[in-house]
Amino acid sequence: MANANNELHKKVEELLPAVCALSKVEHEGPDVVIYLKNIAEFYKDENLIRKIAGTLRKRVLIRSDPSALTTPEKALDKIKAIVPAEAGVTDISFFPQFCEVAIDSLKPGLVIGKGGSTLKEIIFQTGWAPKILRTPTMPSNTVSGIRKSMLKEADNRKKFLTNLGRVISTPPTAKADWVKVTALGGFHEVGRMCILVQTPNDKILIDCGVNPETNEGPKAFPYLSSMGITLDQLNAVVITHAHLDHCGFVPYLYKYGYEGPVYCTPPTRDLMVLLQFDYIKVLSKGDTPSPYEEKDVRKMLDHVVVRDYEDVTDITPEIKLTFHNAGHILGSSMVHFHIGEGLHNLVYTGDLKYGFTKLFDPANAAFPRSETIFMESTYGGRNDIQPVRQEAEKKLMEAIMKTIERKGKALIPVFAVGRSQEVMLVLEEYAQTHPDFNVPVYIDGMILEASAIHTAYPEFLRQNVQRRVLSNNSPFESKIFEPVKVKRQEIVDGDPCVILAPSGMLSGGPSLEYLKLLAEGEKNSLIFVGYQSALSLGRKLQHGAKEVPLHGEGGKLQSVKVNMEIQTVEGFSGHSDRSQLLAFAKNLKPRPERIFTLHGDEGKCDDLARTINKMLHIETRAPMNLDAIRLK
Ligand SMILES: [Zn+2]
Ligand SMILES: [Zn+2]
């Protein structure tokens, strides 16, 4: 161990001009941190950082030796003097454990300065390495809570990352010579997604979700007990995106002994925490106990390591992880694993949108190498063709206007994260071009908070939305939207309106409350814009259920008559429809040797696998939960 670090130290020493006065080199999680006594000298050569990172093949962080730091009080004064007022700095916090200062601001570009000039000035004058964070344009308790917790837990995080760095940089005694994948959940179903990737040296989970549409334990959670290993033997957990069917079970791992890292993108971390806290809250109102508590979510948060798209990261001595844009929700990613030195490359798409949305660029389809692809099949069935977006938007607005004209209320159940923001953009655009559209659009539940998180990460949004957020014209803050501050009954008793409320499949949350209040009124309408999974109440209503049992006041089950008009408007999905899935498979670069399908109800996984096989003449299959597949 000591040897490995000595070697690293020597390598860095050789690359650095002696005048930088190298004091220490250490691993910190997947990164290498270089401490210098004379950091100003380092920045004289602009190519130095690239040269070192290229040679070490790691992300490299440059920091001052603690002895070269000014006191936080002095540094604070200097930073305030250096950063222009227009940058809108909202918070400055010091992390002595990391020799870093976090600067939160509304305009990070101005804290960085032209070519990084302002940043450098901060480093030269204070010694502290600035970490630039964007303040959301709408207040977000999640974002501020997570940033506070990072500060509070900095000691623990430093210990955790140093230890993790040691593990990742210690080569195994024998090289991996096989790769195996076990299907632990989400195969031939939508929900509880979970995949175990195993080599002789590593055990990694990709996604670890719940099925929020059922309360039956055996169907709700992944088959972790079949792994044949204990949770503390896992090396890493990698999360594609924040929907609960992909991340809802992660805190459970920490409750029962896992202490390793969770890798995800920065927005996924924030949205994941928001949705997990909400999951606990929703369950606490019913009769099923939550599989974990809030403290387990916090423990998970202390172990999250965030990575941006396209960053290549060593997550074990033999596995490199890269996230690629999946186009599905904010921060959603596909996972690329490069295993061994060329032993095997696998891609797992997570949920993917290979088509137009107002919020995101379409999913990436090119990878450096990929022999095996695991792809989602939500709309992989032979009839799952979605109308084009323009038609979908027209149909949605017609459904809404018809309801308004007959003095009804239009309830649109949506996922708090994803569909709600997409539908908000459609409504906002319509209102801009139709001044006669003057009914309130109520935003209930977590939609507001989720939208606020979007404004903290504009670089993950499509360019024109990004531009609007950056120029103080965020569509999420349009005045047509009214966050619900009154009792729901008042809205139901009031004038015609549109209501956007989670959950998207009516499994709980405000949308279910509104359903109870609106269901009997014939003038009202229920408009589905997102996927309704096989076990959901939404699916039952789509299939024409005219009476449904729902928990009333005091938790008593009562039968509710459904007289409201029920409509489904397709075309807003954050999932690819069948033709988009097929186009994705066809356009994959390079062409994979095999494709496995998953994340689909009923026969959809089989359907998609069969069609891709006919189209590309490569091996395809739709594995079952608990199947183990040897890839190499
Ligand atoms: Zn999803
Ligand atoms: Zn999903």
Side-chain angles (χ1 to χ4, degrees):
M1 182 49 27
N3 285 343
N5 219 7
N6 278 347
E7 225 171 87
L8 180 70
H9 193 105
K10 236 195 271 161
K11 249 195 213 167
V12 173
E13 206 161 33
E14 279 165 22
L15 293 162
L16 273 177
V19 63
C20 295
L22 174 67
S23 67
K24 193 165 73 172
V25 183
E26 64 179 10
H27 292 278
E28 192 179 277
D31 304 325
V32 168
V33 189
I34 299 175
Y35 290 91
L36 305 172
K37 288 202 174 121
N38 191 354
I39 202 164
E41 284 298 326
F42 180 88
Y43 285 101
K44 283 189 178 160
D45 179 353
E46 292 195 344
N47 294 317
L48 206 48
I49 184 110
R50 218 171 306 139
K51 199 167 109 195
I52 299 176
T55 311
L56 303 180
R57 295 170 74 196
K58 293 264 186 188
R59 193 168 79 160
V60 171
L61 306 171
I62 306 295
R63 296 178 191 154
S64 297
D65 183 79
S67 67
L69 298 178
T70 56
T71 62
E73 294 75 26
K74 268 194 197 146
L76 189 66
D77 287 342
K78 291 217 160 125
I79 293 169
K80 282 183 182 161
I82 296 167
V83 177
E86 309 82 75
V89 171
T90 55
D91 191 34
I92 300 176
S93 340
F94 291 88
F95 292 76
Q97 305 85 343
F98 298 88
C99 301
E100 283 184 333
V101 54
I103 305 176
D104 294 37
S105 79
L106 285 158
K107 294 205 155 67
L110 294 176
V111 185
I112 296 166
K114 236 191 190 143
S117 55
T118 311
L119 274 195
K120 279 184 203 156
E121 208 43 47
I122 295 171
I123 299 171
F124 298 162
Q125 289 200 29
T126 70
W128 295 83
K131 213 174 152 166
I132 310 301
L133 299 168
R134 182 184 296 279
T135 308
T137 60
M138 301 157 77
S140 159
N141 287 333
T142 311
V143 172
S144 61
I146 288 174
R147 290 180 186 176
K148 267 188 212 128
S149 127
M150 289 294 157
L151 188 63
K152 196 169 138 245
E153 298 297 328
D155 279 328
N156 289 334
R157 266 190 79 79
K158 178 68 191 174
K159 267 184 231 147
F160 160 67
L161 290 170
T162 309
N163 188 42
L164 176 63
R166 203 166 45 228
V167 176
I168 294 174
S169 59
T170 308
T173 42
K175 279 187 178 170
D177 55 356
W178 54 260
V179 181
K180 185 179 110 173
V181 161
T182 312
L184 298 178
F187 288 73
H188 279 275
E189 62 182 343
V190 173
R192 60 164 167 178
M193 203 58 238
C194 192
I195 303 174
L196 174 67
V197 179
Q198 227 173 324
T199 74
N201 301 319
D202 295 317
K203 296 155 197 81
I204 295 173
L205 282 189
I206 315 183
D207 282 349
C208 192
V210 296
N211 187 339
E213 309 312 315
T214 171
N215 293 330
E216 291 171 55
K219 282 187 195 161
F221 311 135
Y223 293 93
L224 294 182
S225 57
S226 77
M227 288 196 298
I229 53 165
T230 52
L231 294 177
D232 59 334
Q233 288 175 293
L234 287 169
N235 302 76
V237 175
V238 178
I239 299 298
T240 57
H241 68 287
H243 280 151
L244 287 172
D245 59 321
H246 297 258
C247 74
F249 212 48
V250 182
Y252 175 95
L253 304 176
Y254 287 93
K255 184 172 177 180
Y256 291 103
Y258 178 59
E259 294 193 334
V262 172
Y263 294 93
C264 62
T265 61
T268 297
R269 174 195 57 197
D270 297 9
L271 294 170
M272 174 164 83
V273 168
L274 172 70
L275 292 178
Q276 288 164 345
F277 277 145
D278 184 66
Y279 179 62
I280 297 174
K281 211 169 96 194
V282 169
L283 286 183
S284 75
K285 287 182 189 149
D287 18 77
T288 331
S290 169
Y292 51 81
E293 286 86 52
E294 289 191 358
K295 68 172 179 0
D296 305 308
V297 178
R298 285 196 194 95
K299 191 168 172 198
M300 175 202 78
L301 179 60
D302 294 342
H303 293 82
V304 171
V305 178
V306 291
R307 275 332 208 215
D308 283 323
Y309 295 148
E310 314 290 334
D311 276 354
V312 182
T313 305
D314 292 306
I315 57 166
T316 76
E318 290 187 303
I319 299 184
K320 288 187 196 302
L321 155 74
T322 315
F323 287 123
H324 296 272
N325 172 33
H328 169 66
I329 62 166
L330 184 72
S332 68
S333 50
M334 306 196 224
V335 170
H336 179 273
F337 275 6
H338 176 80
I339 304 172
E341 268 149 47
L343 177 69
H344 199 74
N345 293 272
L346 75 86
V347 170
Y348 160 56
T349 64
D351 291 354
L352 98 115
K353 179 68 173 182
Y354 194 57
F356 174 86
T357 66
K358 285 196 188 293
L359 282 165
F360 308 110
D361 288 330
N364 170 71
F367 303 93
R369 289 178 62 181
S370 61
E371 287 89 34
T372 304
I373 305 265
F374 288 85
M375 73 181 275
E376 69 125 317
S377 321
T378 318
Y379 289 107
R382 65 185 73 105
N383 301 319
D384 292 333
I385 302 295
Q386 299 265 324
V388 295
R389 266 302 289 263
Q390 273 164 323
E391 264 173 58
E393 287 178 24
K394 204 170 140 231
K395 208 175 150 199
L396 173 66
M397 290 318 304
E398 276 169 10
I400 290 174
M401 294 319 287
K402 206 172 94 191
T403 310
I404 304 290
E405 275 155 27
R406 64 174 183 239
K407 306 255 178 288
K409 293 170 188 77
L411 170 61
I412 310 179
V414 274
F415 267 142
V417 177
R419 268 347 67 205
S420 26
Q421 286 75 33
E422 190 71 21
V423 172
M424 280 168 84
L425 291 194
V426 173
L427 290 167
E428 198 254 353
E429 199 181 291
Y430 185 86
Q432 276 192 6
T433 47
H434 297 74
D436 53 320
F437 180 79
N438 53 9
V439 295
V441 178
Y442 288 105
I443 305 293
D444 205 335
M446 286 185 317
I447 297 176
L448 197 66
E449 178 62 22
S451 303
I453 296 175
H454 283 64
T455 69
Y457 299 101
E459 61 278 23
F460 283 81
L461 302 168
R462 257 170 66 102
Q463 217 175 19
N464 60 330
V465 187
Q466 190 180 122
R467 220 176 291 131
R468 289 190 60 185
V469 172
L470 294 180
S471 59
N472 254 340
N473 178 26
S474 159
F476 307 117
E477 289 164 83
S478 158
K479 46 181 194 312
I480 67 161
F481 301 122
E482 281 197 29
V484 173
K485 292 198 181 105
V486 295
K487 283 216 164 78
R488 288 179 186 131
Q489 188 67 52
E490 277 181 44
I491 292 171
V492 169
D493 294 339
D495 290 331
C497 62
V498 180
I499 303 165
L500 289 179
S503 72
M505 303 188 201
L506 297 166
S507 55
S511 64
L512 187 60
E513 297 305 313
Y514 286 109
L515 177 74
K516 288 177 205 164
L517 299 171
L518 296 170
E520 282 190 37
E522 285 167 14
K523 289 179 184 165
N524 301 328
S525 57
L526 174 64
I527 308 173
F528 291 110
V529 291
Y531 187 71
Q532 305 298 310
S533 79
L535 301 171
S536 64
L537 173 61
R539 176 70 73 90
K540 286 186 196 122
L541 291 166
Q542 265 182 329
H543 282 191
K546 285 283 166 240
E547 213 169 314
V548 287
L550 294 174
H551 290 280
E553 255 171 67
K556 255 226 256 64
L557 209 59
Q558 59 192 66
S559 182
V560 174
K561 276 207 174 65
V562 184
N563 300 328
M564 70 198 301
E565 187 181 9
I566 295 181
Q567 295 202 58
T568 299
V569 181
E570 286 174 328
F572 290 107
S573 182
H575 293 276
S576 308
D577 75 347
R578 178 174 166 94
S579 41
Q580 289 165 348
L581 286 170
L582 292 175
F584 172 78
K586 204 167 164 183
N587 292 342
L588 275 168
K589 282 199 177 64
R591 178 155 296 183
E593 291 167 15
R594 65 189 74 81
I595 293 182
F596 296 109
T597 55
L598 43 84
H599 197 288
D601 280 326
E602 292 122 15
K604 293 176 195 290
C605 298
D606 283 325
D607 247 17
L608 184 66
R610 223 174 292 128
T611 311
I612 294 176
N613 170 269
K614 270 191 216 142
M615 181 177 80
L616 300 180
H617 308 289
I618 58 171
E619 181 194 343
T620 64
R621 187 149 68 89
M624 305 288 289
N625 280 334
L626 296 174
D627 274 358
I629 308 155
R630 182 171 176 177
L631 299 180
K632 188 76 189 182

